[in-house]
Short mmCIF file of all heavy atoms in Angstrom, two decimals:
data_model
loop_
_atom_site.label_atom_id
_atom_site.label_comp_id
_atom_site.label_asym_id
_atom_site.label_seq_id
_atom_site.Cartn_x
_atom_site.Cartn_y
_atom_site.Cartn_z
N VAL A 1 -9.54 1.57 23.78
CA VAL A 1 -8.26 0.92 23.47
C VAL A 1 -8.41 -0.01 22.27
O VAL A 1 -7.58 -0.02 21.35
CB VAL A 1 -7.74 0.15 24.70
CG1 VAL A 1 -6.51 -0.67 24.34
CG2 VAL A 1 -7.41 1.12 25.83
N LEU A 2 -9.51 -0.80 22.28
CA LEU A 2 -9.74 -1.70 21.14
C LEU A 2 -9.97 -0.91 19.85
O LEU A 2 -9.47 -1.28 18.79
CB LEU A 2 -10.95 -2.58 21.43
CG LEU A 2 -10.80 -3.63 22.54
CD1 LEU A 2 -12.10 -4.42 22.70
CD2 LEU A 2 -9.63 -4.56 22.24
N ASP A 3 -10.74 0.17 19.94
CA ASP A 3 -11.01 0.99 18.76
C ASP A 3 -9.74 1.65 18.25
O ASP A 3 -9.54 1.76 17.03
CB ASP A 3 -12.06 2.04 19.10
CG ASP A 3 -12.54 2.78 17.86
OD1 ASP A 3 -12.85 2.12 16.86
OD2 ASP A 3 -12.57 4.03 17.90
N TYR A 4 -8.88 2.09 19.15
CA TYR A 4 -7.61 2.69 18.74
C TYR A 4 -6.74 1.67 17.99
O TYR A 4 -6.15 1.99 16.95
CB TYR A 4 -6.87 3.20 19.97
CG TYR A 4 -5.48 3.73 19.66
CD1 TYR A 4 -5.31 4.99 19.10
CD2 TYR A 4 -4.35 2.96 19.92
CE1 TYR A 4 -4.04 5.48 18.81
CE2 TYR A 4 -3.09 3.43 19.63
CZ TYR A 4 -2.94 4.69 19.08
OH TYR A 4 -1.68 5.15 18.79
N ALA A 5 -6.68 0.44 18.52
CA ALA A 5 -5.89 -0.60 17.84
C ALA A 5 -6.48 -0.91 16.46
O ALA A 5 -5.75 -1.09 15.48
CB ALA A 5 -5.86 -1.86 18.70
N PHE A 6 -7.83 -0.94 16.39
CA PHE A 6 -8.47 -1.22 15.10
C PHE A 6 -8.23 -0.10 14.11
O PHE A 6 -7.96 -0.34 12.92
CB PHE A 6 -9.97 -1.43 15.32
CG PHE A 6 -10.74 -1.59 14.04
CD1 PHE A 6 -10.70 -2.78 13.34
CD2 PHE A 6 -11.50 -0.53 13.53
CE1 PHE A 6 -11.40 -2.93 12.14
CE2 PHE A 6 -12.19 -0.67 12.35
CZ PHE A 6 -12.15 -1.87 11.65
N GLN A 7 -8.35 1.16 14.56
CA GLN A 7 -8.12 2.30 13.68
C GLN A 7 -6.68 2.32 13.16
O GLN A 7 -6.43 2.63 11.99
CB GLN A 7 -8.43 3.61 14.42
CG GLN A 7 -9.88 3.79 14.80
CD GLN A 7 -10.76 4.13 13.61
OE1 GLN A 7 -10.27 4.45 12.54
NE2 GLN A 7 -12.07 4.06 13.79
N LYS A 8 -5.73 1.99 14.03
CA LYS A 8 -4.32 1.95 13.61
C LYS A 8 -4.10 0.87 12.57
O LYS A 8 -3.42 1.08 11.56
CB LYS A 8 -3.43 1.71 14.83
CG LYS A 8 -1.95 1.74 14.51
CD LYS A 8 -1.11 1.53 15.76
CE LYS A 8 0.38 1.55 15.42
NZ LYS A 8 1.21 1.31 16.62
N TRP A 9 -4.68 -0.32 12.80
CA TRP A 9 -4.55 -1.42 11.83
C TRP A 9 -5.20 -1.04 10.51
O TRP A 9 -4.64 -1.30 9.43
CB TRP A 9 -5.20 -2.67 12.40
CG TRP A 9 -5.24 -3.81 11.42
CD1 TRP A 9 -4.25 -4.69 11.14
CD2 TRP A 9 -6.36 -4.16 10.57
NE1 TRP A 9 -4.66 -5.58 10.19
CE2 TRP A 9 -5.94 -5.28 9.81
CE3 TRP A 9 -7.63 -3.66 10.40
CZ2 TRP A 9 -6.78 -5.89 8.88
CZ3 TRP A 9 -8.47 -4.25 9.47
CH2 TRP A 9 -8.04 -5.36 8.73
N GLN A 10 -6.37 -0.42 10.55
CA GLN A 10 -7.08 -0.02 9.34
C GLN A 10 -6.28 1.03 8.57
O GLN A 10 -6.19 0.99 7.33
CB GLN A 10 -8.45 0.52 9.70
CG GLN A 10 -9.38 0.72 8.51
CD GLN A 10 -10.75 1.19 8.94
OE1 GLN A 10 -10.87 2.05 9.81
NE2 GLN A 10 -11.79 0.63 8.36
N PHE A 11 -5.67 1.96 9.30
CA PHE A 11 -4.86 2.99 8.65
C PHE A 11 -3.65 2.38 7.96
O PHE A 11 -3.29 2.76 6.83
CB PHE A 11 -4.41 4.01 9.69
CG PHE A 11 -3.55 5.12 9.15
CD1 PHE A 11 -4.09 6.11 8.35
CD2 PHE A 11 -2.20 5.15 9.42
CE1 PHE A 11 -3.30 7.12 7.85
CE2 PHE A 11 -1.39 6.15 8.92
CZ PHE A 11 -1.95 7.14 8.13
N GLU A 12 -3.00 1.42 8.61
CA GLU A 12 -1.84 0.75 8.00
C GLU A 12 -2.25 -0.04 6.77
O GLU A 12 -1.50 -0.11 5.79
CB GLU A 12 -1.17 -0.17 9.03
CG GLU A 12 -0.49 0.58 10.17
CD GLU A 12 0.07 -0.35 11.21
OE1 GLU A 12 -0.23 -1.57 11.14
OE2 GLU A 12 0.79 0.12 12.11
N GLN A 13 -3.43 -0.65 6.80
CA GLN A 13 -3.91 -1.40 5.63
C GLN A 13 -4.17 -0.46 4.45
O GLN A 13 -3.91 -0.82 3.30
CB GLN A 13 -5.20 -2.16 5.99
CG GLN A 13 -5.00 -3.28 6.99
CD GLN A 13 -4.05 -4.36 6.49
OE1 GLN A 13 -4.13 -4.80 5.35
NE2 GLN A 13 -3.16 -4.79 7.36
N LYS A 14 -4.68 0.75 4.74
CA LYS A 14 -4.93 1.70 3.65
C LYS A 14 -3.64 2.19 3.02
O LYS A 14 -3.61 2.54 1.84
CB LYS A 14 -5.74 2.89 4.19
CG LYS A 14 -7.18 2.55 4.53
CD LYS A 14 -7.90 3.79 5.03
CE LYS A 14 -9.36 3.47 5.36
NZ LYS A 14 -10.09 4.66 5.85
N LEU A 15 -2.55 2.22 3.83
CA LEU A 15 -1.28 2.70 3.30
C LEU A 15 -0.61 1.68 2.38
O LEU A 15 0.24 2.03 1.57
CB LEU A 15 -0.33 3.04 4.45
CG LEU A 15 -0.69 4.27 5.30
CD1 LEU A 15 0.33 4.46 6.40
CD2 LEU A 15 -0.77 5.52 4.43
N LYS A 16 -0.99 0.40 2.52
CA LYS A 16 -0.36 -0.64 1.70
C LYS A 16 -0.79 -0.49 0.24
O LYS A 16 -1.95 -0.18 -0.05
CB LYS A 16 -0.75 -2.03 2.21
CG LYS A 16 -0.15 -2.37 3.58
CD LYS A 16 -0.54 -3.77 4.01
CE LYS A 16 0.08 -4.12 5.34
NZ LYS A 16 -0.30 -5.49 5.79
N MET A 17 0.15 -0.73 -0.65
CA MET A 17 -0.14 -0.60 -2.08
C MET A 17 -0.58 -1.94 -2.66
O MET A 17 -0.15 -3.00 -2.20
CB MET A 17 1.12 -0.10 -2.82
CG MET A 17 1.56 1.28 -2.44
SD MET A 17 2.91 1.90 -3.47
CE MET A 17 4.19 0.71 -3.06
N THR A 18 -1.42 -1.86 -3.67
CA THR A 18 -1.82 -3.06 -4.40
C THR A 18 -0.69 -3.51 -5.34
O THR A 18 0.29 -2.79 -5.53
CB THR A 18 -3.10 -2.78 -5.20
OG1 THR A 18 -2.82 -1.75 -6.18
CG2 THR A 18 -4.22 -2.31 -4.29
N LYS A 19 -0.84 -4.68 -5.90
CA LYS A 19 0.17 -5.20 -6.83
C LYS A 19 0.32 -4.28 -8.04
O LYS A 19 1.44 -4.06 -8.52
CB LYS A 19 -0.22 -6.61 -7.28
CG LYS A 19 -0.15 -7.65 -6.17
CD LYS A 19 -0.48 -9.03 -6.71
CE LYS A 19 -0.37 -10.08 -5.60
NZ LYS A 19 -0.69 -11.45 -6.12
N GLN A 20 -0.80 -3.75 -8.53
CA GLN A 20 -0.74 -2.85 -9.68
C GLN A 20 -0.02 -1.57 -9.33
O GLN A 20 0.78 -1.05 -10.12
CB GLN A 20 -2.16 -2.55 -10.17
CG GLN A 20 -2.21 -1.69 -11.43
CD GLN A 20 -1.55 -2.38 -12.62
OE1 GLN A 20 -1.56 -3.60 -12.73
NE2 GLN A 20 -0.98 -1.60 -13.52
N GLU A 21 -0.26 -1.05 -8.11
CA GLU A 21 0.43 0.17 -7.68
C GLU A 21 1.93 -0.07 -7.53
O GLU A 21 2.73 0.81 -7.84
CB GLU A 21 -0.16 0.66 -6.36
CG GLU A 21 -1.58 1.20 -6.49
CD GLU A 21 -2.20 1.55 -5.15
OE1 GLU A 21 -1.70 1.05 -4.12
OE2 GLU A 21 -3.18 2.29 -5.13
N VAL A 22 2.30 -1.27 -7.04
CA VAL A 22 3.72 -1.60 -6.93
C VAL A 22 4.38 -1.65 -8.30
O VAL A 22 5.49 -1.15 -8.51
CB VAL A 22 3.90 -2.94 -6.19
CG1 VAL A 22 5.36 -3.39 -6.24
CG2 VAL A 22 3.45 -2.83 -4.75
N LYS A 23 3.67 -2.24 -9.28
CA LYS A 23 4.20 -2.30 -10.64
C LYS A 23 4.38 -0.90 -11.22
O LYS A 23 5.39 -0.62 -11.88
CB LYS A 23 3.27 -3.13 -11.52
CG LYS A 23 3.24 -4.61 -11.18
CD LYS A 23 2.29 -5.36 -12.11
CE LYS A 23 2.26 -6.85 -11.77
NZ LYS A 23 1.33 -7.59 -12.65
N GLU A 24 3.37 -0.04 -10.99
CA GLU A 24 3.47 1.32 -11.53
C GLU A 24 4.62 2.08 -10.89
O GLU A 24 5.33 2.84 -11.57
CB GLU A 24 2.14 2.06 -11.29
CG GLU A 24 0.96 1.52 -12.07
CD GLU A 24 1.16 1.66 -13.57
OE1 GLU A 24 1.83 2.61 -14.00
OE2 GLU A 24 0.63 0.81 -14.32
N GLU A 25 4.83 1.88 -9.58
CA GLU A 25 5.93 2.56 -8.91
C GLU A 25 7.28 2.07 -9.44
O GLU A 25 8.21 2.86 -9.61
CB GLU A 25 5.84 2.35 -7.40
CG GLU A 25 6.90 3.13 -6.62
CD GLU A 25 6.79 2.94 -5.13
OE1 GLU A 25 5.99 2.07 -4.70
OE2 GLU A 25 7.48 3.64 -4.39
N LEU A 26 7.38 0.76 -9.68
CA LEU A 26 8.63 0.23 -10.24
C LEU A 26 8.89 0.80 -11.63
O LEU A 26 10.04 1.10 -11.98
CB LEU A 26 8.56 -1.30 -10.29
CG LEU A 26 8.66 -2.04 -8.95
CD1 LEU A 26 8.46 -3.53 -9.14
CD2 LEU A 26 10.00 -1.77 -8.28
N LYS A 27 7.82 0.95 -12.40
CA LYS A 27 7.98 1.52 -13.74
C LYS A 27 8.49 2.96 -13.65
O LYS A 27 9.34 3.38 -14.43
CB LYS A 27 6.65 1.50 -14.49
CG LYS A 27 6.25 0.11 -14.98
CD LYS A 27 4.95 0.19 -15.76
CE LYS A 27 4.53 -1.19 -16.26
NZ LYS A 27 3.26 -1.14 -17.02
N GLN A 28 7.96 3.72 -12.68
CA GLN A 28 8.35 5.12 -12.56
C GLN A 28 9.76 5.27 -12.00
O GLN A 28 10.49 6.17 -12.39
CB GLN A 28 7.36 5.86 -11.66
CG GLN A 28 5.97 5.96 -12.25
CD GLN A 28 4.99 6.63 -11.31
OE1 GLN A 28 5.34 7.04 -10.21
NE2 GLN A 28 3.74 6.74 -11.74
N SER A 29 10.14 4.38 -11.06
CA SER A 29 11.45 4.52 -10.42
C SER A 29 12.56 3.86 -11.23
O SER A 29 13.68 4.38 -11.31
CB SER A 29 11.40 3.92 -9.01
OG SER A 29 11.08 2.53 -9.07
N GLU A 30 12.28 2.70 -11.81
CA GLU A 30 13.32 1.95 -12.51
C GLU A 30 13.09 1.90 -14.02
O GLU A 30 13.96 1.45 -14.76
CB GLU A 30 13.40 0.53 -11.96
CG GLU A 30 13.75 0.48 -10.47
CD GLU A 30 13.85 -0.94 -9.97
OE1 GLU A 30 13.70 -1.86 -10.81
OE2 GLU A 30 14.08 -1.14 -8.78
N GLY A 31 11.93 2.32 -14.48
CA GLY A 31 11.64 2.25 -15.90
C GLY A 31 10.82 1.02 -16.24
O GLY A 31 10.81 0.03 -15.51
N ASP A 32 10.14 1.08 -17.36
CA ASP A 32 9.32 -0.03 -17.82
C ASP A 32 10.21 -1.22 -18.16
O ASP A 32 11.17 -1.09 -18.93
CB ASP A 32 8.54 0.41 -19.06
CG ASP A 32 7.42 -0.58 -19.40
OD1 ASP A 32 7.58 -1.76 -19.08
OD2 ASP A 32 6.41 -0.15 -19.97
N PRO A 33 9.93 -2.42 -17.60
CA PRO A 33 10.76 -3.60 -17.92
C PRO A 33 10.84 -3.91 -19.40
O PRO A 33 11.88 -4.34 -19.90
CB PRO A 33 10.06 -4.74 -17.14
CG PRO A 33 9.33 -4.04 -16.04
CD PRO A 33 8.92 -2.72 -16.59
N LEU A 34 9.75 -3.68 -20.14
CA LEU A 34 9.77 -3.94 -21.58
C LEU A 34 10.71 -2.98 -22.30
O LEU A 34 11.46 -3.38 -23.20
CB LEU A 34 8.36 -3.82 -22.16
CG LEU A 34 7.33 -4.83 -21.64
CD1 LEU A 34 5.95 -4.55 -22.22
CD2 LEU A 34 7.77 -6.26 -21.98
N VAL A 35 10.67 -1.72 -21.86
CA VAL A 35 11.57 -0.73 -22.46
C VAL A 35 13.02 -1.04 -22.13
O VAL A 35 13.91 -0.96 -22.98
CB VAL A 35 11.19 0.69 -21.98
CG1 VAL A 35 12.18 1.72 -22.51
CG2 VAL A 35 9.77 1.04 -22.42
#
């Protein structure tokens, strides 16, 4: 049970994007802010 909870938490942490990834996604979806 403890290992299952840890694996789930670890999986959710891997799915989270870094700040740079968030910026890149915003650029792709909304366009480059400078442009």
Side-chain angles (χ1 to χ4, degrees):
V1 173
L2 292 180
D3 189 47
Y4 175 78
F6 174 77
Q7 294 286 348
K8 184 179 180 181
W9 174 83
Q10 191 177 43
F11 179 73
E12 292 176 350
Q13 293 299 316
K14 289 181 179 180
L15 291 179
K16 292 182 178 179
M17 295 187 297
T18 62
K19 292 183 178 180
Q20 184 62 31
E21 290 174 341
V22 172
K23 291 180 180 179
E24 293 297 329
E25 185 178 9
L26 288 175
K27 286 182 179 180
Q28 294 177 1
S29 61
E30 299 181 3
D32 194 331
L34 296 177
V35 175

